[in-house]
Amino acid sequence: MTNLFSSFDPSTSTHLSLNWLSIIIGLLIMPISYWLIPSRFLFSWINILITLHKEFKILMGSSNGSTLIFISLFTFILFNNILGLFPYIFTGTSHLLFTLTLALPLWLSFMLFGWINNTLHMFAHLVPQGTPPVLMAFMVCIETTSNIIRPGTLAVRLAANMIAGHLILTLLGNTGSMLSIKLMPILIIVQILLLVLELAVAIIQSYVFAVLSTLYSSEVI
């Protein structure tokens, strides 16, 4: 069990949580030419960001808020998700400490902004349109509870998805020493397919986190 969860341990042999440096250390290995010299990859990434900007702008409605924070959030989570797929690299997004640090301040700032500037609008959100008068008190309790657990659901969704995929890859990899040579090609093919699936999950989860954060911000305006 220790070996199974060792990749999620933030502490090193010096008993310091130096593994958290993997969150930003990837920027150090990125060549400077990436930022200075235009390339096909850079143009493709710019097109992706422009598409996200247009989509987030639609989700935010008629608000004057900038989509830059949500695009940056998507990029940051995607960078850490994909970096965590490499061997012997600590996956920061698999820890609730990391995901809650992203979700909780965003949700708290949205709530403070909404209740201070749009108090009547926030009260109106507690009772959905068309609710019978008898159920209004019950609906207020449900809506309040669902609003409070939003940062928790955001954080748990991202962390659980990243942990699950890594654990499956680790469990299958540990069975390699016990298999015969004839079954090894099957195991390698399954591992490659799971790695492709994990790559898709890394992209989808970062997108879901950013989109849900955008939707939560649009509700308070």
Side-chain angles (χ1 to χ4, degrees):
M1 293 297 289
T2 305
N3 293 331
L4 184 61
F5 290 95
S6 60
S7 60
F8 302 108
D9 188 7
S11 61
T12 58
S13 58
T14 57
H15 302 289
L16 296 175
S17 299
L18 296 179
N19 284 340
W20 287 110
L21 292 176
S22 66
I23 295 173
I24 59 172
I25 206 167
L27 297 174
L28 301 179
I29 62 176
M30 191 173 291
I32 301 178
S33 59
Y34 169 79
W35 306 102
L36 301 178
I37 303 174
S39 61
R40 290 184 179 181
F41 177 78
L42 185 59
F43 282 124
S44 301
W45 181 246
I46 290 174
N47 288 331
I48 292 173
L49 296 185
I50 291 174
T51 305
L52 285 174
H53 167 72
K54 293 178 180 178
E55 185 170 347
F56 290 165
K57 194 173 182 180
I58 294 173
L59 292 175
M60 295 178 72
S62 59
S63 63
N64 296 321
S66 174
T67 60
L68 179 61
I69 183 173
F70 302 107
I71 294 176
S72 303
L73 185 67
F74 168 80
T75 307
F76 184 57
I77 296 175
L78 178 65
F79 176 79
N80 283 281
N81 286 352
I82 294 179
L83 196 66
L85 294 176
F86 289 92
Y88 303 108
I89 295 183
F90 176 71
T91 311
T93 48
S94 63
H95 282 256
L96 283 176
L97 179 64
F98 179 87
T99 53
L100 272 175
T101 304
L102 293 177
L104 197 57
L106 277 175
W107 174 82
L108 191 60
S109 60
F110 296 155
M111 288 298 101
L112 289 175
F113 178 84
W115 284 106
I116 292 174
N117 296 285
N118 300 311
T119 308
L120 293 178
H121 181 72
M122 296 297 291
F123 274 119
H125 267 290
L126 295 178
V127 182
Q129 190 174 5
T131 304
V134 182
L135 299 177
M136 280 186 178
F138 183 63
M139 290 303 298
V140 168
C141 295
I142 293 178
E143 290 295 323
T144 304
T145 305
S146 65
N147 203 352
I148 291 174
I149 65 173
R150 277 179 176 178
T153 54
L154 272 179
V156 171
R157 182 187 295 109
L158 178 58
N161 278 282
M162 298 311 297
I163 288 176
H166 283 64
L167 286 181
I168 294 174
L169 288 171
T170 305
L171 286 170
L172 285 177
N174 290 338
T175 59
S177 58
M178 297 179 289
L179 293 178
S180 61
I181 298 177
K182 295 180 181 179
L183 295 177
M184 284 300 293
I186 299 176
L187 177 63
I188 293 173
I189 292 173
V190 172
Q191 286 277 63
I192 292 173
L193 291 176
L194 280 175
L195 193 61
V196 173
L197 177 63
E198 274 302 293
L199 180 61
V201 169
I203 298 172
I204 291 170
Q205 288 305 315
S206 55
Y207 175 75
V208 167
F209 196 101
V211 167
L212 289 178
S213 301
T214 309
L215 289 173
Y216 295 160
S217 69
S218 64
E219 290 183 2
V220 302
I221 298 173

